[in-house]
Amino acid sequence: MKSFAKLQLVVIIFLIVLGGTSMAQDDDMMDEPIVAVQNVFWSDTDMVVEDAEAVLVRMHHGLSMTVETTGLEPGDAYTVWWVIFNNPEECSDGICNIEDVFLMEDGEFALTEDGMRQPNVAGREMTQVSSLRATGNIGYIDGTSVFRAHLPIGDTTDHVNFGPGLLDSMNTEVHLIIRTHGPIIPELLNEQLMTAWGGCPDPMDRSPCDDVQIAIFPPAMSP
């Protein structure tokens, strides 16, 4: 009887260890990052940017991205922005785009009297969209550049245009927007690399600031 009881105890311990190992493996699988690679497109033509690539790594604690792109103006200042649609299922017509963020009239931005874009308040609330600065860099001499950034869930410490930040790293639709700020202005370089309108102070004439390239990452998992 003692031998049988001892055998039972050994089996129980083995099953506990095995079960713990299995759960640890399940946890490891849950923690494995999901990597997606997408083309980069010109914002004004929807044409693919040649020899450019965007990589998004989804982890349960946040997002990391790398964009290697071409066709930029050497020596110009650029920023990259996270546009996070936390509820992509609420996007208009099932497609997340600029109309969920700003009011549009005949394909153009609806502007306020001081030249500012009018927000789509209802669309932003439905989609829980957020725009945050990712990073900034200079166009290299050959027109290429590399941008890297990380965004933890709930982190709004960097420049936030609007929205609650990243709420769910797996079920969100992520747009990476590359903006130009024109040639470097030494006294404004920090603003050119850190803000959405740095180097473009005139609210009625925002040139040369503009969105020039975009990469889009659909949700990795269904809600």
Side-chain angles (χ1 to χ4, degrees):
M1 295 293 293
K2 290 183 180 180
S3 298
F4 179 72
K6 185 176 182 180
L7 178 60
Q8 282 184 314
L9 180 60
V10 171
V11 170
I12 291 172
I13 293 173
F14 174 76
L15 291 175
I16 292 173
V17 172
L18 181 62
T21 302
S22 176
M23 287 188 291
Q25 289 175 342
D26 291 341
D27 289 342
D28 289 342
M29 291 179 65
M30 289 295 291
D31 290 338
E32 288 181 0
I34 297 176
V35 181
V37 181
Q38 295 287 353
N39 288 324
V40 180
F41 294 87
W42 292 104
S43 299
D44 57 347
T45 65
D46 293 331
M47 299 291 290
V48 173
V49 180
E50 294 186 8
D51 300 321
E53 182 178 81
V55 179
L56 183 71
V57 181
R58 297 177 185 265
M59 298 156 286
H60 281 271
H61 64 272
L63 303 170
S64 289
M65 73 82 173
T66 299
V67 178
E68 298 183 8
T69 191
T70 64
L72 305 181
E73 290 295 327
D76 280 12
Y78 293 88
T79 53
V80 181
W81 296 81
W82 302 99
V83 179
I84 307 292
F85 292 90
N86 286 291
N87 295 334
E89 68 277 5
E90 299 294 340
C91 289
S92 57
D93 300 324
I95 301 174
C96 298
N97 56 39
I98 196 68
E99 294 181 354
D100 296 296
V101 182
F102 295 101
L103 296 178
M104 308 293 290
E105 295 178 351
D106 299 324
E108 301 291 336
F109 291 108
L111 303 178
T112 62
E113 293 183 357
D114 58 358
M116 302 296 291
R117 299 172 180 178
Q118 293 191 41
N120 182 345
V121 177
R124 293 185 183 188
E125 183 175 346
M126 290 287 290
T127 62
Q128 286 291 286
V129 62
S130 189
S131 173
L132 310 88
R133 177 186 174 274
T135 186
N137 205 353
I138 306 297
Y140 303 156
I141 193 170
D142 60 353
T144 67
S145 195
V146 179
F147 304 90
R148 294 186 176 89
H150 178 68
L151 179 63
I153 288 178
D155 185 1
T156 56
T157 55
D158 209 337
H159 186 91
V160 180
N161 285 330
F162 52 81
L166 176 65
L167 303 180
D168 180 349
S169 58
M170 296 298 170
N171 296 318
T172 58
E173 179 163 315
V174 179
H175 296 195
L176 299 176
I177 309 293
I178 300 178
R179 287 180 59 77
T180 178
H181 297 262
I184 291 174
I185 305 172
E187 63 272 21
L188 296 178
L189 180 57
N190 188 61
E191 293 180 23
Q192 287 180 292
L193 296 177
M194 298 291 291
T195 67
W197 298 103
C200 313
D202 187 348
M204 300 303 293
D205 180 12
R206 294 303 185 110
S207 62
C209 291
D210 198 9
D211 299 341
V212 292
Q213 296 180 359
I214 182 172
I216 297 175
F217 294 85
M221 300 169 59
S222 299

